[in-house]
Structures are given as structure tokens and as C-alpha cells.
Amino acid sequence: MKIYNFLLLTLIFSSLPIKAGENFSGNFDVNNWSTVGSSGDGSLDTNNAPDSITITGPNDGSRGSAQKFFIEIPSGGSGTYSFDWAYTTNDTPFYDFPNLINGSSTTLFTGYQLHGDFNQSGSISTDVEAGDNFGFEIETNDGVGGRAFLTISSLVTPDPPDTGTEWVQPYTAMQNIGLASIKNNRDLVLAKAGQCNNYGWVIGDTDYCVYTNANNTTASVNGNSSYGGYDYTKFNTSLNVEKTINDRWKAGVAYGVGSSNLNNYNFSSTTASLSSTNTHYSIYGVKKVSDKFTLKGMIGGSDFDYKGNRNYSTTSATSAYDTDGYTAEINGIWDMKKNIKNMKTPIRLQPTVGVAYAAHTQDGFSESGSGDLITIDPNQAESLLFKTGISIDKQIPMEGGKWILVPSLALNYEMDPYSDDDHRSIKGGLTESSTAHTKVSSKTLGQHNGSVKVGADFICTKDFMFNLNAEYGLAEGGDEQSYGGGFRWQF
């Protein structure tokens, strides 16, 4: 009768509908569990796995012996575990009983009665920490008088860690920084395009001119409960070689180098830092449509070499991968001068509009190191900027005209409708898992960005001048500061 009751309870538990996430599967497949430390002649039956397993207790006269079945909880597996249990014995419940293994403690099942029925059942829910042992055992006091049987079913484990939230996000964020570096280079190339004769080195009596400038940007992106915040820096330099074709047309080529860094990413116990070195190649053209309107356009390509470090619990991962970038931009600039009474030189107003596109085409790669490593799929992130702004400047003769100061102020607004998940997410997942990779997003500065830029040109002599500028940008997701400049020394 006792064996009949046990089989009936087993049948009932094994026939209950299994909810999503319940059973001995995935990281909790029976092959990942252990019986190390068991004593006596007990046994384990996994024939009904993944739905249930059955532990048979010892009965060979060994007092205090036990049949164990446990697993070391994997990284990211902390949380609440629950299961159903069905017990029966041919001895008495006092001599053969079920224990819960949780970390360093082994305790009697909650709800189990030592002086209760020969057939008992219940449900248990308990909190477990990653790295601890979790499992079950049948322990016998006397080792004689018959065996006990324990069936575990409906095992519910916490959702596996969201590799997008904890682990993939830094790589998604670095895509955004790569796109920002491409934008930084575009700004340098076009800033003085068409004005090289004023800001660069004219090569002898030729129509060629060389100009160089640089810019360094730092930014903070705010996090929230779903996305980690981070800081980043990007440094770019550009060398332009420009040719004057005629009074209306100028064209040039540009070569730029730079670096980018992601720092202070710390979210859900995951820390990460990434860096890149990058090179940029561009060709551009400038057409003076009229005395008051100019068009500037460029196309370019970029190459990025990335390196990264990511740490989570016992995971220590490194990465190295390559990315190509492509970009194009066209701007229209109006040039309007306004004379003000009692001022020797006019004020110049320059309204601008423009549109720019960039693609950041990243190779797929897998992390190296130890622990829970991830694989990132090949991906293309995109940016589409609609730009407008206005700048104002004025020449001010200094020291009786010995040198000229040209202060400037610019207000700019940019909108990037491609800053959404469809254009900035990336797919990644655990390297050793067969589960389909998850599309993951990260926090960005957002779709709308406004900035204020102040600068000054210092025209010291006809052969030497330099310029400096600083800009502060405020966006939905954070803020950005930059400074830069260039110089001309004709000799």
C-alpha cells in the first residue's frame, strides 16, 4: 500500500502542467547536478527528467548516511527557488527524512513532520545565492527498516540573467560612442572647409592649402533602473588639404585620427570599460552659390579598433574587435552682415541647416577570459542627424589694429530620429548557450540635443593665427562638453 501511495503521488506531480521556467533543464539540467558526498546504498532516478527526479534513501545499515542531489548555482543565478515534493517511506518518517541543501546549511524540509504520515507532500520556496550549493537529500538515522523515497517536481528557478541588461549593454553603448566619433570628425572637416586660405597654410604660389584642427569631448550618459549609465571621451584631429578650383568651387581631402573611451559603466554588478583607436578618411566640396549662400558636402569612411574589459561576479572577460564606419553630410550656410551705428566692423550672422548620415558596421566577436562569456553578433548601428543653428561673430581690432580678435557665439540644435532601439540595438548572448541571442539596447544621449558654442579667432599677424572654442550640449539623456582649436603659421 505504501509503494502504491508513493507511485500515485509521483503520478499526480508528474502529470501537473509545467509552467515556463519549471523543470530540470538549461543550466539546471540533471547532468549539471552532483551526488558527491553521498553515503550508503541510496540511488537517484532521473528517467522522468526534466519534469521530475526521484531520490531513494540508503538502507544498508549505515547510520547517518544520506543520498544527495545538488548543484552549484551559476553566476547570475541568485534569487528565489521553489519546488514541489512528495515523500513516502517503508520505515517511519522519524528515521528517514528529507533535507534541503542551501549553501553551508542542511535543514529539514519545511512542512515535513517527523512524527507524521508515511506519505507526505508540500511545496518549498527559498532564497539561494549564486555560487552556493542547492539541492536535496534523504538522510537515514538507522539505515535499516526500509527505504524512503523523495520526488522533486515543478522546480522553478529565477529567470536567467538578462545578458542585455548586465552584459551586452557596454558593447551597445560603445556603438553610440563610435557614431559620435564619426560625427566629431565630420564637424572638424567641415568647420573651416572652404576657408583654408584664411585658417591654413597656403603652399607656395599654388592653389593648395593645408589646415589642421582638433577637438576633445567628454560626456555623461544618465542611467536608470533598466539601463546603466556611463561616461565617455572622444578625441579627434583632422588634417585637410584643400584646392581652390575657381571663385565658386573648392574641394579637399581630409585624414583624421582619434581615440574613444567608455568608462564608469557599473550596472547590476557588471563593470566595463572599452577603448578604441580610429582613423577617418574624407573628401569634401564647397560651392559658393552666391555671396550670401554656401553649400558644403562630404563623404567619408572610418576604421575602429576596439578593446574592452568586462567583469561580473566571477567573470573576467576581455574583447577585441574591428568596425568600419561610413558617413555623408551636406550643409547650407547663409552669410549675412549687419552694420551697426558707431561700430567700425559689421556683425556677421550665419544661419545653417544640414543633414548627416553615419553607419557603424561592427564585426561579430566572442569574449575571452573566464566565467560567463558572451558572443556579440555582427551589427550595423546608424545615425541620421537633422541640424540647424545660427552663429554670430565680429572682428575687433586690438591695440590699434596690431592684431584682431574675432569672438563668436553659436546656438545649435540636432535631432536624431535613428537614436531608437531599431537603429542602435545589438544582439548578443552567452557563448555556451544555444538560446537565441537577444536584441539589446543601451542608454543614449537621446533624440534631441541642443548646444551653445563660444569661440575666438586670434589673428596675431598675417602669417600667424590660432582659434579656440568650447561647447556645452544638453540632451534628454545627459550632457556633453568639448573644446578644441587650430592654428596657422605661414613661413
Side-chain angles (χ1 to χ4, degrees), residues 288-338:
K288 189 176 182 180
V289 179
S290 69
D291 290 342
K292 292 186 177 182
F293 183 68
T294 301
L295 281 173
K296 296 182 180 182
M298 66 160 288
I299 57 174
S302 305
D303 181 73
F304 295 83
D305 293 311
Y306 288 103
K307 293 182 179 180
N309 294 278
R310 183 181 65 84
N311 294 281
Y312 174 81
S313 184
T314 58
T315 296
S316 179
T318 61
S319 57
Y321 56 100
D322 185 73
T323 291
D324 295 320
Y326 309 94
T327 190
E329 181 170 344
I330 186 167
N331 294 327
I333 304 101
W334 287 264
D335 196 332
M336 299 179 291
K337 294 180 180 180
K338 177 68 174 177

Side-chain angles (χ1 to χ4, degrees), residues 369-443:
S370 59
D372 294 317
L373 305 179
I374 60 176
T375 294
I376 302 296
D377 292 355
N379 189 69
Q380 178 169 295
E382 298 173 301
S383 170
L384 179 62
L385 280 181
F386 295 98
K387 311 168 62 176
T388 186
I390 186 169
S391 67
I392 180 172
D393 64 44
K394 176 178 169 55
Q395 290 189 2
I396 304 175
M398 306 297 292
E399 295 185 79
K402 291 183 179 180
W403 61 282
I404 298 174
L405 173 66
V406 188
S408 62
L409 173 68
L411 302 176
N412 299 300
Y413 168 75
E414 296 174 345
M415 180 181 72
D416 187 354
Y418 278 16
S419 64
D420 58 14
D421 294 350
D422 290 338
H423 297 92
R424 298 292 178 88
S425 60
I426 195 170
K427 283 188 174 182
L430 289 169
T431 301
E432 296 183 353
S433 173
S434 59
T435 304
H437 286 182
T438 303
K439 183 179 286 189
V440 176
S441 301
S442 70
K443 207 71 168 64

Side-chain angles (χ1 to χ4, degrees), residues 477-489:
D479 60 355
E480 190 174 56
Q481 309 88 40
S482 67
Y483 57 89
F487 70 94
R488 179 187 71 184
W489 189 5

Side-chain angles (χ1 to χ4, degrees), residues 63-341:
R63 292 187 174 184
S65 58
Q67 177 62 44
K68 302 175 181 290
F69 188 60
F70 65 92
I71 186 173
E72 182 179 335
I73 300 301
S75 297
S78 297
T80 301
Y81 289 65
S82 63
F83 57 91
D84 296 336
W85 57 272
Y87 167 91
T88 191
T89 183
N90 291 329
D91 199 347
T92 63
F94 181 81
Y95 292 108
D96 299 86
F97 44 87
N99 289 327
L100 176 68
I101 301 170
N102 188 350
S104 59
S105 64
T106 301
T107 57
L108 189 68
F109 269 16
T110 301
Y112 180 81
Q113 297 180 1
L114 291 172
H115 301 286
D117 294 339
F118 282 57
N119 303 301
Q120 300 185 43
S121 62
S123 298
I124 290 177
S125 179
T126 186
D127 291 332
V128 182
E129 294 293 328
D132 284 350
N133 289 334
F134 166 76
F136 332 97
E137 70 173 22
I138 289 284
E139 180 180 354
T140 178
N141 278 335
D142 54 5
V144 295
R147 299 181 185 274
F149 305 87
L150 176 67
T151 295
I152 304 295
S153 63
S154 297
L155 175 66
V156 179
T157 62
D159 290 335
D162 183 350
T163 56
T165 300
E166 279 89 348
W167 301 339
V168 180
Q169 272 193 46
Y171 298 111
T172 312
M174 200 62 189
Q175 289 187 135
N176 300 324
I177 299 171
L179 287 169
S181 181
I182 294 173
K183 175 186 179 297
N184 224 24
N185 181 74
R186 280 199 317 263
D187 291 345
L188 289 177
V189 171
L190 293 179
K192 304 299 183 183
Q195 304 176 64
C196 186
N197 289 348
N198 298 326
Y199 291 93
W201 298 271
V202 177
I203 302 175
D205 296 326
T206 70
D207 295 324
Y208 291 92
C209 178
V210 178
Y211 176 73
T212 184
N213 56 358
N215 181 272
N216 187 72
T217 300
T218 62
S220 295
V221 179
N222 302 326
N224 56 27
S225 60
S226 300
Y227 298 102
Y230 53 92
D231 299 330
Y232 69 81
T233 60
K234 46 190 173 75
F235 175 76
N236 290 82
T237 64
S238 180
L239 177 66
N240 294 21
V241 179
E242 187 171 290
K243 175 177 172 58
T244 300
I245 300 173
N246 53 45
D247 291 342
R248 296 292 183 184
W249 280 97
K250 294 182 180 180
V253 296
Y255 171 76
V257 296
S259 61
S260 302
N261 295 276
L262 179 150
N263 300 301
N264 299 326
Y265 178 89
N266 188 341
F267 180 66
S268 292
S269 301
T270 295
T271 60
S273 61
L274 292 95
S275 63
S276 76
T277 55
N278 45 77
T279 53
H280 307 272
Y281 312 89
S282 310
I283 59 174
Y284 66 89
V286 180
K287 181 178 182 180
K288 189 176 182 180
V289 179
S290 69
D291 290 342
K292 292 186 177 182
F293 183 68
T294 301
L295 281 173
K296 296 182 180 182
M298 66 160 288
I299 57 174
S302 305
D303 181 73
F304 295 83
D305 293 311
Y306 288 103
K307 293 182 179 180
N309 294 278
R310 183 181 65 84
N311 294 281
Y312 174 81
S313 184
T314 58
T315 296
S316 179
T318 61
S319 57
Y321 56 100
D322 185 73
T323 291
D324 295 320
Y326 309 94
T327 190
E329 181 170 344
I330 186 167
N331 294 327
I333 304 101
W334 287 264
D335 196 332
M336 299 179 291
K337 294 180 180 180
K338 177 68 174 177
N339 289 299
I340 298 178
K341 188 177 180 180

